[in-house]
Amino acid sequence: MRATEKEQRQLHIPTIDRSYGEPPPYVVVVQGPPQVGKSLLIKCLIKHYTKHKVSEVRGLVTVVSGKKMRLQFVECPNDINGMIDCAKIADLALLLIDASQGFEMETFEFLN
């Protein structure tokens, strides 16, 4: 008798759906010194995923890369406060280096 009461009680307990729909996008931060190709890399990645040409990159760019996966590209500014903010939200950081000049101080600051 007690087992059937437990089974019936479980049938009447509402189940709560705790999923929030879409997961948040992966944040990809592109960091490097000026004139090294950060915007060009973001434009090429956007063209790869969307097959559309983008003339100018401003702010955050979100791209759907799969059925349930989105990527958000962020161009990191070249000041220490912007780098700290970008490092806090980044899931992936792409560090671009000018081969003719080598590593610069900003790159090491971002790594730290």
Side-chain angles (χ1 to χ4, degrees), residues 31-42:
Q31 193 275 335
Q35 300 296 318
V36 80
K38 298 184 295 272
S39 297
L40 181 66
L41 177 67
I42 292 174

Side-chain angles (χ1 to χ4, degrees), residues 46-89:
I46 292 169
K47 188 174 181 182
H48 172 76
Y49 284 113
T50 63
K51 308 293 189 256
H52 293 289
K53 191 174 183 179
V54 178
S55 61
E56 191 175 350
V57 177
R58 288 189 180 197
L60 306 174
V61 179
T62 304
V63 175
V64 178
S65 62
K67 286 186 177 180
K68 293 187 176 182
M69 190 166 117
R70 295 178 295 153
L71 298 173
Q72 189 171 40
F73 298 109
V74 180
E75 186 175 346
C76 184
N78 205 22
D79 63 337
I80 190 69
N81 293 329
M83 287 184 208
I84 290 170
D85 292 340
C86 286
K88 287 178 184 177
I89 63 166

Side-chain angles (χ1 to χ4, degrees), residues 22 25 33 44 52 69 71 87 95 104 107 111:
E22 294 181 357
C44 290
H52 293 289
M69 190 166 117
L71 298 173
L95 304 177
E104 292 188 2
T107 308
L111 283 172

